[in-house]
Amino acid sequence: MPSVAVKLYSVFFKLILKRRLQNRIQNPNLNDEMSTSFGVTSRPEESIAAANPSFTDGVATKDIHIDPSSCLCIRIFLPDTCLVYPDLDADRVRAKRSELESRSFNSNGISRRNSYGAVESCNVSASVSNRRSSYCDGFNTDDLNVKNENGAYRGYTPFSDRCRKLPLMVQFHGGGFVAGSCDSVANDFFCRRIAKVCDVIVVAVGYRLAPENRYPAAFEDGMKVLHWLAKQANLAECGKSLGKKVDSRKSDVQGHIADAFGASLVEPWLAAHGDPSRCVLLGVSCGANIADYVARKSVDSGTLLDPVKVVAQVLMYPFFIGSIPTHSEIKLSNSYFFDKSMSILAWRLFLPEKEFNLDHPAANPLIANRGVPPLKRMPPTLTVVAEHDWMRDRAIAYAQELKKVNVDAPVLDYKDCVHEFATLDMLLRTPEAQACADDIAIWVKKYISLRGHEFSY
């Protein structure tokens, strides 16, 4: 059973959340006219973690507003392993990673797994002085095109040659569609952990929240991010074909496409280090609903998203519901943190009033004629559920339906855990939260590793 502290925190959490949801439902200003507004991606009560473009804790971050017509934004989490050549100095990599683990997130003794990508045109000697690291030993700051301060990588424009290509993981935060943000303290902590243990570039999506922007705004934002990633990859390829330096007052980037003001249109971190052909979707709670929608749409889009390819998705305690209750929905309806009554309030705020239905395609994955594509074309799907989560049965049933059509769809069931046990601010530092991240890394490696299926369930 959850600890007494968790139970007490759950009581206060539910009281505050229920009051906020009821206030938004009763607020007369939240009318249909607001559905066309610019939108919001976070709430005033949310604690925000500032972006930090240095590798002081092993992961650099920065925020980008990618849609001028809305508030849609992303936060990129870039692990420092993108600047390390593991095949040249394995001992050094292990020593550096041990140092990072000893000082970040109190995660001593946790092993990290890497899926090393291809090294491009690596014309360097095996001597220590010529090996690149995020601390710039052996290279001067002119080579890296950044400013080096106190031994930390500080710049926004990494050196574009001889860099490791890392898989992309597009992450959608939780919050019942009405709360949460991609740059909250809890989500920032979780994404940093995932970037390290999975050795991926995490792209956390700040989608538009309800009721200011109801369905399908958040789902459409998820697809917009995938199209933006595809556009960035294509612009980067065009930049490589230019073979010249673009003069710019805002950037000094090798071969990047520039706009009328001379600013680069290419996101340099993704251009230098991102591998869009190995893209994984990860959704937390209601974010899992968005991830599943994006996965279906990406399959249906076919080559329109090239070179982005969704190779797998991870659904962490998805926010599924239906009109016919499952056994867990009856037995655990008053469970910890997010009980069934509050979840229904969140769905009322998210779905348009005329479309409110617990069997809506966005809410219930088990309804017939949910839309294209058929389940057999879905990417491999890992589902994470918790013992004390009333939504667990429907998530497990969805995984079973995927298995029936030969889709790799394992389920990780964590005992004595609650909804959002691996992502809620109070629970992030628990052993179960770290174990969940490690388990996700093991499974994801099957589909993003260039060395074959090193791990499997």
Side-chain angles (χ1 to χ4, degrees):
M1 293 293 291
S3 65
V4 175
V6 171
K7 292 179 180 179
L8 290 175
Y9 186 75
S10 174
V11 171
F12 290 105
F13 181 93
K14 289 200 289 186
L15 287 174
I16 295 173
L17 181 60
K18 190 172 184 178
R19 181 177 180 181
R20 289 172 179 170
L21 293 176
Q22 289 176 339
N23 287 342
R24 293 191 179 106
I25 288 178
Q26 298 169 1
N27 191 340
N29 295 325
L30 298 177
N31 49 42
D32 293 336
E33 295 180 359
M34 297 186 66
S35 61
T36 58
S37 66
F38 190 73
V40 297
T41 58
S42 64
R43 301 296 179 189
E45 63 268 14
E46 198 77 51
S47 298
I48 302 301
N52 182 6
S54 69
F55 287 125
T56 52
D57 65 346
V59 179
T61 62
K62 68 173 170 179
D63 299 327
I64 304 176
H65 178 215
I66 66 173
D67 183 14
S69 64
S70 73
C71 60
L72 174 62
C73 62
I74 62 172
R75 170 166 287 191
I76 300 177
F77 295 80
L78 182 70
D80 67 346
T81 52
C82 67
L83 296 176
V84 176
Y85 290 107
D87 293 331
L88 294 180
D89 200 349
D91 293 336
R92 189 176 175 203
V93 172
R94 284 193 291 268
K96 185 171 187 314
R97 183 165 294 281
S98 298
E99 178 186 351
L100 289 173
E101 291 171 3
S102 66
R103 70 169 185 260
S104 62
F105 303 139
N106 295 326
S107 55
N108 292 336
I110 298 173
S111 60
R112 305 299 188 190
R113 307 173 180 90
N114 292 288
S115 57
Y116 295 123
V119 180
E120 300 179 354
S121 61
C122 180
N123 292 323
V124 296
S125 66
S127 64
V128 174
S129 61
N130 283 334
R131 294 183 187 120
R132 184 206 308 272
S133 76
S134 59
Y135 292 88
C136 304
D137 48 336
F139 287 86
N140 57 44
T141 55
D142 294 334
D143 288 335
L144 289 176
N145 199 18
V146 299
K147 291 183 179 180
N148 189 40
E149 182 178 323
N150 296 328
Y153 177 80
R154 305 290 296 177
Y156 269 84
T157 308
F159 190 60
S160 59
D161 294 331
R162 300 175 296 178
C163 295
R164 285 190 60 215
K165 291 287 188 178
L166 298 179
L168 302 180
M169 181 174 285
V170 182
Q171 188 260 359
F172 302 93
H173 64 80
F177 300 110
V178 298
S181 67
C182 66
D183 54 1
S184 68
V185 172
N187 199 68
D188 184 86
F189 188 111
F190 172 73
C191 289
R192 287 176 180 273
R193 170 180 282 167
I194 290 295
K196 287 183 177 182
V197 299
C198 294
D199 198 25
V200 296
I201 300 174
V202 176
V203 179
V205 180
Y207 55 83
R208 290 171 289 173
L209 301 178
E212 290 84 355
N213 292 91
R214 296 176 182 256
Y215 175 86
F219 287 64
E220 292 176 344
D221 287 349
M223 280 305 298
K224 286 181 181 178
V225 171
L226 248 62
H227 283 287
W228 182 83
L229 291 174
K231 177 182 177 181
Q232 287 296 315
N234 289 320
L235 285 174
E237 288 299 317
C238 292
K240 290 180 181 178
S241 66
L242 290 179
K244 62 181 181 178
K245 182 174 290 187
V246 180
D247 292 329
S248 169
R249 292 170 293 177
K250 297 183 180 181
S251 64
D252 190 14
V253 185
Q254 180 71 24
H256 279 189
I257 306 295
D259 61 15
F261 297 97
S264 175
L265 295 175
V266 181
E267 204 301 300
W269 285 9
L270 295 179
H273 305 293
D275 182 359
S277 66
R278 295 181 289 161
C279 181
V280 179
L281 305 178
L282 186 149
V284 176
S285 188
C286 67
N289 298 47
I290 301 176
D292 187 63
Y293 170 88
V294 172
R296 287 188 286 116
K297 287 296 183 181
S298 65
V299 171
D300 192 46
S301 298
T303 58
L304 295 178
L305 285 174
D306 281 350
V308 174
K309 182 180 179 182
V310 176
V311 297
Q313 67 169 339
V314 180
L315 308 182
M316 300 182 67
Y317 21 81
F319 203 60
F320 294 150
I321 197 172
S323 59
I324 301 177
T326 63
H327 177 71
S328 64
E329 290 175 0
I330 296 173
K331 183 180 179 181
L332 302 171
S333 60
N334 193 32
S335 57
Y336 304 97
F337 296 104
F338 295 91
D339 59 33
K340 188 173 181 179
S341 61
M342 281 197 301
S343 299
I344 292 176
L345 288 177
W347 279 109
R348 287 189 179 278
L349 287 168
F350 177 64
L351 295 175
E353 293 183 7
K354 296 181 180 179
E355 296 183 28
F356 177 74
N357 182 0
L358 294 183
D359 286 328
H360 191 281
N364 190 355
L366 303 178
I367 60 172
N369 302 320
R370 195 181 179 210
V372 293
L375 288 180
K376 64 182 180 180
R377 295 177 57 196
M378 289 291 287
T381 302
L382 174 66
T383 303
V384 176
V385 296
E387 181 182 8
H388 299 290
D389 183 6
W390 66 269
M391 308 178 203
R392 54 177 281 116
D393 281 0
R394 202 172 298 272
I396 295 173
Y398 181 50
Q400 291 173 343
E401 290 298 315
L402 291 172
K403 288 180 180 179
K404 290 179 182 179
V405 292
N406 297 321
V407 175
D408 183 21
V411 175
L412 297 181
D413 190 357
Y414 290 85
K415 303 299 180 183
D416 294 329
C417 290
V418 299
H419 189 79
E420 289 220 39
F421 71 92
T423 47
L424 200 64
D425 51 2
M426 179 187 182
L427 306 175
L428 277 168
R429 299 178 186 272
T430 61
E432 292 81 5
Q434 181 63 62
C436 180
D438 291 336
D439 291 341
I440 289 173
I442 292 174
W443 184 81
V444 166
K445 294 293 181 177
K446 295 168 57 178
Y447 300 100
I448 63 175
S449 174
L450 294 180
R451 292 185 174 182
H453 293 187
E454 299 165 342
F455 310 98
S456 65
Y457 279 101

